[in-house]
Amino acid sequence: YPLAYGYSLVGRVVACGCNVADAESLIGRNVFTFSPHSSRVVVDRDAVQIVPNGIEAEDAIFMPSVETALSLVHDAHVRLGENVAVYGQGLIGLLVTAILSTHHSSTISSSKQFCSVTAFDALDDRLSMSSNMGATSALQPQAAGIAGPFD
């Protein structure tokens, strides 16, 4: 103790130490860092990533979650035209659904889509979000037996 909760944050740089070579370009910029939640933190220069212009702090804070979702998609080795099931539509599941659903295109495969994405969750509001994120189908888990087959 004291225990500091959280593991990532986005904030605006308000000051830099005298040994930070690019201090002038950092002041006023939004940055991301893996640090506990706090109103103010002091971190090494190499511990921050500059948030690109046009990305709001409220969006940039999802960087670690998007990284996790993208890693899951890569690890799954989804191929063109495959039918994919995503079980659980919490934050990470929704992001996986969104990543897989962004690849729908008539130029990618003869089936006119990268893959079909079926989202499963027990909560109707999450299924609604899954549809908004581009899921081909959004179903209750008990429908899994009739929804497939999945690759």
Side-chain angles (χ1 to χ4, degrees):
Y1 292 106
L3 180 63
Y5 291 99
Y7 64 92
S8 64
L9 61 86
V10 172
R12 188 169 311 279
V13 176
V14 296
C16 292
C18 60
N19 292 328
V20 177
D22 59 346
E24 285 186 33
S25 67
L26 288 174
I27 302 295
R29 296 290 307 265
N30 275 343
V31 294
F32 171 88
T33 185
F34 285 106
S35 297
H37 300 166
S38 181
S39 297
R40 292 181 179 263
V41 295
V42 176
V43 297
D44 291 334
R45 169 59 181 100
D46 60 355
V48 299
Q49 297 175 10
I50 296 173
V51 175
N53 291 330
I55 297 179
E56 298 297 323
E58 293 84 359
D59 295 323
I61 198 59
F62 289 102
M63 289 172 65
S65 299
V66 171
E67 178 185 31
T68 298
L70 188 57
S71 292
L72 291 168
V73 170
H74 285 163
D75 289 348
H77 301 288
V78 178
R79 302 293 182 243
L80 292 175
E82 288 186 333
N83 298 315
V84 179
V86 181
Y87 286 85
Q89 294 297 288
L91 176 59
I92 303 301
L94 281 170
L95 290 170
V96 168
T97 296
I99 290 167
L100 289 170
S101 298
T102 60
H103 291 81
H104 287 228
S105 171
S106 60
T107 62
I108 292 180
S109 72
S110 60
S111 66
K112 300 202 182 300
Q113 58 187 177
F114 179 71
C115 60
S116 98
V117 180
T118 303
F120 292 96
D121 201 282
L123 301 176
D124 289 335
D125 59 338
R126 289 182 177 184
L127 294 175
S128 177
M129 286 298 300
S130 302
S131 295
N132 291 341
M133 293 293 212
T136 310
S137 302
L139 305 170
Q140 293 281 329
Q142 58 269 27
I146 59 170
F150 298 107
D151 299 302

